[in-house]
Amino acid sequence: MPLSRENSLTRKMAAATLLAALVVATLFAGIESFTVYRSELQDIQTDIGRILDAQKDSAAKAVYELDAQLGNQIISGLRSITSLTSARIIDDYGTTLAAFTVERTRPALGWLTTFAGIDDLVIRRDLRASSQNMGLGHIEVVVDRIAVLDQHLIQSLSRASWIGAQFFIVALVLGWLFHRQIVRPLLDMVGQISHISPGDPYALPVAAPHALRRTEIGLLAKAVNDLVRGATLALEQSRQSEARLLTSRQRLARAQDIAQMGSFERNLITGETFWSMGLYRLLGHPSTDAPSPALTFMGFLHEEDLAAITSELDELIAQGSSSLERDIRFKRLDGTPRHGSLAIEIGYGPDAQAQFVYGTIIDITARKSAEQALRKSEERYALTARGANDGLWDWDLETGEVYFSPRYKEMLGYADDELDASYGIWAQLLHPDDKEQSEATANDVAEGRADSFEMIFRLRHRDGSLRWILSRGAALRGQDGTCLRMAGTHTDITALKEAEQALAQTEERYRTIFENEPIGIFRTTLDGQLLEVNPAMAAIFGFPDRETMIAQVRDVGNDLYATPLLRKRVIDQLLLSGRRIQVEVEFQRLGGERFLANMNISMTAETADGTVYLDGAIEDITERRRAETALRDSEERFRKLFEEMQEGSALHRIVVDDAGKPTDCIYLAVNPAFESFSGLSAKDIIGRRGSEVLPGDNTELLKICGQIAQGAPPRTLSTYLPDTRQFFQTRIYSPEPGHFATIFTDITQEKAAEDRLRASEAKYREIFDSTSDAIILHDMRTLVCLDVNAAFRELTGYIDEEFQILTPAALSSGEPPYDEAGAQAVIDRIKAGETVACPWPLRRKDGSLVWTECVIKNVYLDGQETIMAVFRDITERKKLQEVMVQTEKMMSVGGLAAGIAHEINNPLGIILQMTQNLSRRLSRDFPANATAARDCGLDLDRLAAYMERRGLDQYIEAIRNAGERAATIVRSMLDFSRKSDSNRTLCDMAVLLDQTLELAARDYDLKKRFDFRRIVIERDYAPDLPPVECSETEISQVFLNIIKNAAQAMAGNPTQELPPRIQVRTSRDNDQARIEIINNGPPMDEATRRRIFEPFFTTKPPGQGTGLGMSVSYFIVTNKHGGSIMVDSGPKNRVRFVVRLPLPGSPQSRSEGQ
Amino acid sequence: MIRILIVDDEKGIPQALRDYLEDAGEYEVRVAGSGEEGLLLLPDFEPDACIVDMRLPGMDGNEFILAAHTTRPDTIFIIHTGSVDYVLPERLREIGLTEEMIMHKPLLDMRIFEDILTGLLPQKGNRT
């Protein structure tokens, strides 16, 4: 036997070694072949690169410049490389410029192509020009990998074979050595062991193997042999005792398993603990575990039990007792609470010291559960009996005795001792309508026609209400079948009945809804049969009523859906979702019109027969869609409006505190106009708080906005931004509760226009009030006075708002034609469009009348027909007329003078010239006179003496003076009539005054009567007075007249204390030049002052002045120059003449210039 | 002698003037009561100057001057008028009359005639 084992091992080893050699050789061959193949491919690529690099300069040309020669150069270079199948130069368009292909016969290894997926290797190189990729072509080289592989395979295989052979030889040698030196001694040794094992362990080996004598390994084997022999003996013994122990343990474990029991023991001295497998199992621990240190002694026990047991154990030990039994609660490892029964035994040592605790635990959870279930069941029964709803009755037909249980009575509102139990009572309480039926049923049982009954009747409750009672009963029969007793229960089913009724009502309600619901409701079968629809559904689909629809629709998919496929999809979807779905489906009406509907559909399986129904509701949403589209369009429009409107607009949400008081707002949206108005960007403020965006105190504004957001009416506020000088009108309203929107309108322009209007109004008001004519406005229709101007108030004496009571009649004198009727006549005329001008005696507030010239016309004010009456006080005009009369007078004087001047001048000429001749011919000095006198014998000297004596000289002189005076008067009078010489120039008043003063100083008359040089002249000329357009000579004459008058007046009063003085002043008085000439002569009395400008009025003695100087001056200033002249006289010896002349450009100046 | 023709219908005026001028010595004065009469005198008298009233019976002074000027262009004309609103017509201005030659009645001093005539007729003064 050992021999055959030896042979077998050697053979196996030899085979293994051979196999290993083969594997190694093959491996080597493969690796070699692959390496060669890789390096060969590398070489080919390098070669291609090299060839291409060699042609680099030539190839650095655009492809279109590649000529055939260059192409062939490259190709021939490539051709030298073996294993190349083909190479070609291709341009970008895929055209082959040059190529070669080598036809190769497929080598023996061709099958690898398909087997190993080895294919030709294609190498592509882009043609490059210098460093720049021309991108115009490339070279494509195809390498036949199989050829490469083929070429080197034989070489690789031979090398691999060589290596394999070497390895094989080495393996053989090693194998022999191994066998010789190790395996054989070992086999000998094993042979020895096998000899001793089955037999006597102590027997000596029979024979030592031959090899053991010589080698050290033999000695070693002998030693091992001895050792093995001893060990085998010990092992055998141990194995036997172990087997016994195992058996005993298994037995114990099985017992414990069966008893669901676990046991443990603990050495109280050493603390060692042992748990049985049963215990582990009991506690749910993996049974293979060793006692876990984590599990303390009885750590699984309920805390209370542990404490109790511990103390009991202590007590036991103290008493020296040895056993304990009790129920315990414990936990399995997974936390399940269990009940157990614990038995403990204490082992004492010889010294009565407690040494061991032994214990067993039995799981009694099942028993405990059963006990508890029983107890619960009992309790439940008790409770049920106590709280049972049924009343019990028992009727002994033989004795007629009846028992009603307390619950029976309670059901009807009676206490246990209140209601006598009898058949009669029941019959009394029974509702009359139920009586017949109930008694009949009871009789049926009583008389044997039925064994039990169940009926419903109504009994009257103590409070008068009716109770629905379900009565069940059964008969107890005697031997002969007669009914001895009947007993049963009463159940109050009033609530149930009521619920039933309510249910019926609900059902009715649902039916009503079903009938009246505007949404179509339907039920179909799964395969498309229409079972039920409501009228709305029929209407939606265009059927006259639901019956017709149900009758006519054969297949829902065909008849109602736009296409049958739609229904299939819906059902697929429904099946997928498995519950109610909502879909939008296109349906068709009876006429074929298609429409879109929203459908809620669900699947119901009736359990009774397993039929599947589809229930659903359909809402025609065509209109809704239209409305939605319209709404969207509208929203779009309004959004655009919001975006495009010129008014800035912002939407805010109000933020309130807990008390509902607005504390802030949040910007929700703003439009571009708002951004431009506010200079704030929407992205910066949307979603932000008002307090962040507009810092500062906005409490008041927020309060207003908050009120509006909470329902107050919209408001419009005006805001002025001083920084930008802009006025804003802000409209605040609430588009929805809790929100407010603001619309800002820039009303700066409007405001400006308004201001202008107001200014204009004020201006016209000013004009209205400042005009000297009294104006009153009446409403044409009502004749209510609307307004009067200041002049009217002044003229009539009415003050403030008193004018409001004034009617046209009240302003009339009351005497025809100036009475109410007259006023009405005037109003009628102006109503007809006429403008009425007439004199009108206007009644003042004090009742007095003032004569006015009245112009009344119809005007439109504020779109209202208004009577405007303008009254001019003609009292004043009369004064003017007087002035005009004065002027007329002067004019007529002038005209007269002009008419008679010629006639007067001739005689005056005769007088004066004759007087001159007379004087000369009487003169002694004139030679002619002497001759004539001599001829006549007259002595001229004597004549002279005679004339002197008789005063004839003076006569002549007097005649001459009178003639001269008359001539002056005539000339002065002519000034009135003389047309303005229109020789007007711009005169500087200061210059003119100076010239006039000089003239005055030289004046003959002045010199004669007054030394003008004694008069102090004071000049005060305004430097800014512009020149006056006037007739220089005329104005000079005016000034001269005044100055002369002044000088003469002062001369006439030589006793005055002050030196005579004339002040000459000029100044500008609006658009008039004002010239004042003031003297300090005697004051002018009032009569003189008033008449001073009248013609021929003079204060001078006769012969001095013509009486026309001042009136001519007046005429010149007022009539010819449109100015004015006045004189006043103050108390302090002062007479002042004031001449006003219009400055160029003033109205008077213009009118006078024409 | 300087020959002066006075045309005036108011007898006193030419008389006073003639007396005055004749007293002055170097003047020969004739008087015509109307323009027409004056024109008749012109050819014989050949006046060096005419002193003409405006308001005349028949032709007025202006017409006379124009007519006289036609026949005697060298004659000097002096207007002596009682009108206060006399305006020198343009036609007379054209034949050399100026405002200086207008004398308004009544003349306070007749020496002015002498002055004017002396000024206007220097050569005539030397003729004698």
Side-chain angles (χ1 to χ4, degrees):
Chain A
M1 291 306 250
L3 194 66
S4 71
R5 281 168 72 184
E6 175 198 327
N7 287 345
S8 164
L9 182 63
T10 312
R11 265 202 308 275
K12 279 179 187 166
M13 281 185 70
T17 311
L18 191 61
L19 196 64
L22 271 174
V23 169
V24 168
T26 314
L27 211 63
F28 266 93
I31 292 169
E32 180 72 13
S33 175
F34 185 68
T35 313
V36 170
Y37 165 67
R38 282 289 299 274
S39 70
E40 185 68 19
L41 279 183
Q42 199 73 45
D43 289 349
I44 291 169
Q45 288 202 27
T46 314
D47 285 348
I48 294 168
R50 187 170 41 75
I51 291 163
L52 292 177
D53 285 346
Q55 300 294 340
K56 203 172 178 182
D57 292 339
S58 317
K61 286 182 177 178
V63 156
Y64 54 79
E65 288 177 21
L66 273 180
D67 52 11
Q69 196 194 343
L70 179 61
N72 290 332
Q73 271 178 21
I74 297 171
I75 292 300
S76 64
L78 292 170
R79 199 188 282 271
S80 66
I81 306 169
T82 49
S83 312
L84 281 195
T85 310
S86 68
R88 51 189 190 136
I89 301 174
I90 304 164
D91 71 7
D92 247 8
Y93 304 100
T95 317
T96 306
L97 300 174
F100 83 90
T101 309
V102 178
E103 280 303 322
R104 287 184 197 275
T105 47
R106 278 277 157 191
L109 283 167
W111 54 270
L112 267 172
T113 315
T114 44
F115 180 74
I118 299 173
D119 207 347
D120 287 350
L121 175 69
V122 180
I123 301 168
R124 287 164 67 111
R125 286 280 294 255
D126 282 339
L127 286 176
R128 280 174 184 274
S130 308
S131 60
Q132 190 183 4
N133 189 345
M134 295 301 284
L136 290 171
H138 56 265
I139 296 173
E140 206 173 80
V141 178
V142 179
V143 181
D144 187 344
R145 284 201 266 198
I146 300 302
V148 176
L149 205 59
D150 200 25
Q151 201 176 335
H152 298 284
L153 192 67
I154 307 302
Q155 187 189 343
S156 308
L157 282 178
S158 59
R159 200 183 295 177
S161 308
W162 171 237
I163 292 168
Q166 283 177 326
F167 188 81
F168 182 64
I169 291 162
V170 169
L172 278 182
V173 171
L174 285 175
W176 181 80
L177 284 173
F178 180 74
H179 181 73
R180 176 79 178 76
Q181 295 301 320
I182 296 173
V183 177
R184 258 178 40 197
L186 281 176
L187 285 174
D188 286 345
M189 198 166 69
V190 170
Q192 292 294 331
I193 292 167
S194 64
H195 277 149
I196 56 173
S197 330
D200 182 6
Y202 301 103
L204 289 167
V206 178
H210 56 279
L212 289 181
R213 284 177 297 242
R214 297 195 306 266
T215 58
E216 278 178 49
I217 200 158
L219 293 174
L220 178 67
K222 189 174 180 295
V224 170
N225 195 19
D226 293 345
L227 185 66
V228 167
R229 221 189 264 205
T232 311
L233 192 63
L235 198 69
E236 184 61 24
Q237 279 181 336
S238 162
R239 197 186 290 152
Q240 284 171 3
S241 63
E242 205 168 276
R244 279 197 300 276
L245 184 62
L246 191 68
T247 314
S248 131
R249 273 203 182 153
Q250 278 171 347
R251 226 176 264 146
L252 177 64
R254 265 201 297 280
Q256 288 192 347
D257 269 358
I258 292 163
Q260 284 202 314
M261 191 177 91
S263 64
F264 61 88
E265 63 177 75
R266 181 178 168 84
N267 187 327
L268 292 173
I269 295 163
T270 63
E272 273 177 85
T273 302
F274 167 78
W275 286 11
S276 75
M277 287 299 156
L279 185 54
Y280 283 119
R281 206 170 295 125
L282 197 70
L283 295 176
H285 281 270
S287 56
T288 51
D289 275 2
S292 166
L295 291 168
T296 56
F297 181 55
M298 288 187 180
F300 49 85
L301 277 179
H302 193 278
E303 282 176 15
E304 289 175 13
D305 291 350
L306 180 62
I309 289 166
T310 310
S311 65
E312 280 174 29
L313 275 179
D314 289 347
E315 206 177 323
L316 275 180
I317 291 166
Q319 289 171 358
S321 303
S322 59
S323 64
L324 165 73
E325 252 188 66
R326 60 166 292 146
D327 284 357
I328 53 161
R329 288 163 288 170
F330 64 94
K331 262 195 326 250
R332 284 168 68 89
L333 187 64
D334 59 6
T336 350
R338 307 292 286 183
H339 290 274
S341 176
L342 174 73
I344 287 175
E345 210 50 50
I346 299 167
Y348 295 92
D351 52 353
Q353 176 82 30
Q355 279 184 332
F356 293 94
V357 174
Y358 308 101
T360 58
I361 297 173
I362 301 170
D363 190 334
I364 57 165
T365 310
R367 197 187 77 203
K368 277 276 177 188
S369 299
E371 279 173 10
Q372 278 180 351
L374 181 64
R375 193 161 60 246
K376 270 184 186 161
S377 167
E378 279 169 353
E379 281 169 5
R380 201 176 299 128
Y381 176 77
L383 280 170
T384 310
R386 215 180 305 150
N389 206 31
D390 291 354
L392 303 177
W393 56 270
D394 191 351
W395 182 17
D396 190 334
L397 270 73
E398 286 183 316
T399 61
E401 209 174 291
V402 175
Y403 167 75
F404 293 161
S405 77
R407 172 69 191 141
Y408 188 112
K409 293 178 182 173
E410 188 194 332
M411 219 181 274
L412 296 173
Y414 295 97
D416 192 19
D417 56 351
E418 279 183 336
L419 196 66
D420 288 335
S422 72
Y423 179 82
I425 290 293
W426 172 72
Q428 268 180 25
L429 293 174
L430 196 61
H431 191 276
D433 292 351
D434 299 335
K435 196 164 186 166
E436 195 178 329
Q437 177 66 32
S438 306
E439 286 183 348
T441 309
N443 285 337
D444 282 351
V445 176
E447 289 160 18
R449 287 187 292 275
D451 278 346
S452 65
F453 64 84
E454 185 174 316
M455 61 182 175
I456 293 170
F457 49 76
R458 284 164 286 179
L459 290 181
R460 188 162 303 281
H461 192 267
R462 192 180 188 181
D463 63 10
S465 63
L466 287 172
R467 295 276 152 178
W468 285 94
I469 303 292
L470 170 68
S471 177
R472 291 197 184 91
L476 181 68
R477 297 184 191 281
Q479 295 287 326
D480 53 354
T482 54
C483 187
L484 303 176
R485 283 174 78 169
M486 274 166 65
T489 59
H490 272 189
T491 310
D492 187 342
I493 56 163
T494 311
L496 188 67
K497 270 284 173 186
E498 281 169 357
E500 255 173 38
Q501 280 168 353
L503 192 64
Q505 279 170 7
T506 308
E507 212 169 53
E508 177 62 26
R509 202 157 54 233
Y510 282 123
R511 165 57 60 177
T512 312
I513 290 167
F514 179 74
E515 298 286 344
N516 298 317
E517 180 64 45
I519 292 170
I521 302 171
F522 64 88
R523 167 171 275 203
T524 68
T525 61
L526 191 58
D527 52 10
Q529 191 194 343
L530 189 60
L531 297 175
E532 181 61 277
V533 297
N534 70 342
M537 178 85 171
I540 288 171
F541 280 90
F543 290 92
D545 51 48
R546 57 177 280 273
E547 290 77 13
T548 316
M549 186 172 182
I550 293 167
Q552 287 186 3
V553 174
R554 297 257 159 75
D555 182 278
V556 171
N558 283 328
D559 297 345
L560 300 184
Y561 283 77
T563 61
L565 190 64
L566 283 175
R567 182 167 192 268
K568 288 205 183 82
R569 281 197 198 139
V570 168
I571 289 169
D572 285 349
Q573 217 175 323
L574 190 59
L575 290 170
L576 268 177
S577 77
R579 53 178 199 278
R580 167 180 295 270
I581 58 167
Q582 184 175 352
V583 285
E584 264 180 27
V585 188
E586 198 177 17
F587 289 100
Q588 59 176 336
R589 294 193 220 276
L590 189 54
E593 184 202 342
R594 295 188 170 191
F595 67 99
L596 201 61
N598 196 4
M599 176 164 72
N600 276 299
I601 188 163
S602 61
M603 200 176 277
T604 315
E606 294 280 322
T607 45
D609 53 0
T611 319
V612 172
Y613 297 111
L614 300 182
D615 291 316
I618 281 179
E619 190 186 1
D620 182 352
I621 56 167
T622 319
E623 281 303 317
R624 199 171 75 191
R625 266 295 141 84
R626 210 168 289 155
E628 278 170 4
T629 311
L631 182 66
R632 203 164 44 243
D633 288 352
S634 164
E635 272 175 0
E636 177 68 9
R637 270 200 299 281
F638 280 107
R639 194 189 60 74
K640 272 213 173 111
L641 183 68
F642 182 69
E643 295 286 328
E644 298 296 331
M645 63 197 265
Q646 288 191 334
E647 291 80 6
S649 185
L651 180 65
H652 313 255
R653 193 179 72 237
I654 204 83
V655 178
V656 295
D657 60 12
D658 295 339
K661 186 170 166 285
T663 55
D664 210 337
C665 64
I666 292 172
Y667 282 84
L668 298 181
V670 301
N671 70 350
F674 178 90
E675 293 177 81
S676 84
F677 279 159
S678 62
L680 299 167
S681 165
K683 65 176 167 29
D684 294 341
I685 55 176
I686 298 294
R688 288 182 60 196
R689 285 178 177 248
S691 54
E692 298 174 68
V693 176
L694 296 173
D697 183 22
N698 294 310
T699 320
E700 192 58 30
L701 188 60
L702 188 67
K703 193 176 150 198
I704 293 170
C705 293
Q707 286 167 349
I708 290 167
Q710 289 167 350
R715 286 184 62 175
T716 304
L717 306 175
S718 288
T719 322
Y720 177 62
L721 301 181
D723 296 347
T724 55
R725 295 171 173 236
Q726 279 177 305
F727 286 95
F728 281 106
Q729 201 165 57
T730 312
R731 177 81 175 162
I732 307 171
Y733 67 98
S734 174
E736 55 186 303
H739 293 68
F740 68 92
T742 49
I743 297 178
F744 300 89
T745 315
D746 184 350
I747 54 161
T748 313
Q749 299 288 332
E750 288 82 345
K751 203 79 179 172
E754 202 177 288
D755 287 348
R756 281 199 296 276
L757 187 67
R758 197 172 294 130
S760 165
E761 199 183 55
K763 191 163 74 193
Y764 284 108
R765 180 81 224 176
E766 182 69 20
I767 292 169
F768 182 65
D769 275 339
S770 60
T771 184
S772 56
D773 290 340
I775 302 174
I776 185 166
L777 302 171
H778 282 100
D779 185 284
M780 173 74 89
R781 205 166 41 79
T782 61
L783 298 183
V784 167
C785 181
L786 302 173
D787 204 357
V788 299
N789 70 347
F792 186 92
R793 289 196 179 91
E794 198 179 325
L795 181 63
T796 57
Y798 289 102
I799 54 167
D800 300 335
E801 303 301 306
E802 288 175 350
F803 67 84
Q804 289 171 349
I805 57 156
L806 294 177
T807 60
L811 295 168
S812 308
S813 69
E815 299 287 325
Y818 306 117
D819 56 3
E820 195 171 344
Q824 190 57 51
V826 170
I827 291 166
D828 289 344
R829 280 168 68 193
I830 65 164
K831 257 186 193 165
E834 208 179 320
T835 298
V836 178
C838 60
W840 193 268
L842 187 64
R843 184 172 293 281
R844 286 195 173 108
K845 187 184 178 186
D846 60 9
S848 64
L849 293 176
V850 54
W851 272 97
T852 62
E853 166 102 353
C854 181
V855 177
I856 311 170
K857 63 191 291 187
N858 181 5
V859 293
Y860 271 94
L861 293 178
D862 293 337
Q864 212 176 346
E865 270 199 300
T866 308
I867 304 170
M868 179 173 84
V870 181
F871 298 94
R872 183 167 294 172
D873 183 355
I874 53 176
T875 321
E876 285 299 318
R877 203 171 74 183
K878 276 183 175 155
K879 282 180 193 163
L880 271 175
Q881 276 172 344
E882 281 160 19
V883 172
M884 283 172 74
V885 168
Q886 167 92 345
T887 311
E888 285 286 308
K889 203 157 76 185
M890 291 191 210
M891 291 289 283
S892 59
V893 169
L896 182 67
I900 65 171
H902 186 262
E903 304 308 323
I904 293 172
N905 279 342
N906 273 323
L908 279 176
I910 295 167
I911 294 168
L912 286 168
Q913 286 168 14
M914 289 297 191
T915 312
Q916 195 180 359
N917 281 347
L918 192 60
S919 297
R920 197 157 81 163
R921 290 194 171 184
L922 288 171
S923 166
R924 283 170 294 186
D925 306 332
F926 200 64
N929 291 353
T931 314
R934 205 165 43 245
D935 291 350
C936 297
L938 181 66
D939 182 9
L940 284 180
D941 292 335
R942 285 187 184 171
L943 180 65
Y946 172 77
M947 283 178 67
E948 197 172 338
R949 182 182 284 184
R950 298 297 292 171
L952 295 181
D953 289 351
Q954 287 167 17
Y955 292 171
I956 293 169
E957 185 61 25
I959 293 167
R960 198 180 62 83
N961 277 348
E964 278 181 18
R965 213 172 80 212
T968 309
I969 289 168
V970 170
R971 201 171 293 121
S972 297
M973 285 197 297
L974 289 173
D975 284 340
F976 289 115
S977 67
R978 196 181 289 153
K979 290 286 175 209
S980 166
D981 56 10
S982 78
N983 188 19
R984 291 197 168 185
T985 49
L986 283 172
C987 300
D988 187 333
M989 286 296 109
V991 172
L992 195 60
L993 281 165
D994 283 347
Q995 285 173 356
T996 309
L997 285 165
E998 244 175 76
L999 197 64
R1002 283 204 307 267
D1003 189 273
Y1004 174 74
D1005 284 347
L1006 287 179
K1007 269 194 239 166
K1008 204 163 74 179
R1009 297 188 186 91
F1010 192 85
D1011 189 355
F1012 198 79
R1013 283 168 300 185
R1014 276 187 56 213
I1015 301 175
V1016 179
I1017 307 291
E1018 288 180 4
R1019 295 176 177 84
D1020 181 9
Y1021 300 142
D1024 62 339
L1025 182 66
V1028 178
E1029 191 179 8
C1030 64
S1031 166
E1032 189 177 343
T1033 49
E1034 286 175 351
I1035 297 300
S1036 178
Q1037 190 188 341
V1038 171
F1039 294 156
L1040 187 63
N1041 283 339
I1042 296 169
I1043 291 163
K1044 270 190 193 173
N1045 263 10
Q1048 284 165 5
M1050 288 188 287
N1053 186 21
T1055 57
Q1056 67 180 74
E1057 294 151 18
L1058 293 168
R1061 189 187 67 204
I1062 292 177
Q1063 289 171 282
V1064 185
R1065 291 181 190 159
T1066 65
S1067 61
R1068 182 172 185 157
D1069 190 357
N1070 288 329
D1071 50 0
Q1072 289 185 317
R1074 173 190 171 106
I1075 300 102
E1076 287 172 274
I1077 299 169
I1078 305 160
N1079 70 64
N1080 61 350
M1084 195 178 279
D1085 61 49
E1086 182 62 19
T1088 307
R1089 199 190 64 79
R1090 263 195 283 122
R1091 297 186 60 197
I1092 190 164
F1093 297 118
E1094 278 185 31
F1096 307 109
F1097 172 79
T1098 179
T1099 56
K1100 294 168 191 158
Q1104 291 186 19
T1106 59
L1108 287 169
M1110 291 319 294
S1111 51
V1112 166
S1113 298
Y1114 181 90
F1115 189 76
I1116 288 170
V1117 171
T1118 57
N1119 258 37
K1120 294 189 172 180
H1121 288 85
S1124 69
I1125 181 169
M1126 57 148 288
V1127 61
D1128 58 11
S1129 179
K1132 292 191 284 183
N1133 288 351
R1134 198 185 68 145
V1135 175
R1136 179 177 68 162
F1137 283 85
V1138 178
V1139 176
R1140 287 188 179 87
L1141 292 170
L1143 287 170
S1146 66
Q1148 296 97 314
S1149 156
R1150 274 200 297 276
S1151 67
E1152 213 41 49
Q1154 286 170 0
Chain B
M1 289 293 271
I2 296 166
R3 287 183 292 275
I4 306 286
L5 176 64
I6 299 175
V7 184
D8 202 326
D9 61 335
E10 179 73 50
K11 284 184 181 130
I13 299 289
Q15 189 192 344
L17 205 51
R18 188 182 63 190
D19 289 354
Y20 181 85
L21 289 173
E22 283 176 351
D23 281 355
E26 297 170 11
Y27 299 94
E28 183 188 349
V29 180
R30 284 211 190 165
V31 174
S34 69
E36 290 82 356
E37 190 187 340
L39 289 177
L40 288 173
L41 286 173
L42 280 182
D44 292 343
F45 185 56
E46 294 183 336
D48 296 306
C50 296
I51 297 173
V52 187
D53 186 15
M54 280 295 123
R55 204 179 281 185
L56 293 168
M59 68 192 313
D60 67 5
N62 294 331
E63 292 169 68
F64 168 77
I65 291 170
L66 286 169
H69 177 76
T70 329
T71 48
R72 286 188 61 82
D74 295 337
T75 308
I76 305 290
F77 297 95
I78 293 170
I79 292 164
H80 189 212
T81 178
S83 300
V84 284
D85 49 1
Y86 176 74
V87 177
L88 190 66
E90 201 54 35
R91 288 170 302 160
L92 300 192
R93 216 180 276 278
E94 283 167 12
I95 60 171
L97 272 74
T98 64
E99 261 84 12
E100 287 180 356
M101 300 168 188
I102 300 169
M103 303 291 145
H104 285 285
K105 297 174 183 173
L107 279 174
L108 300 184
D109 195 331
M110 284 179 289
R111 273 178 293 186
I112 196 164
F113 276 113
E114 265 190 290
D115 295 348
I116 289 172
L117 288 169
T118 313
L120 290 175
L121 298 165
Q123 74 278 27
K124 292 278 170 81
N126 299 335
R127 211 167 45 176
T128 51

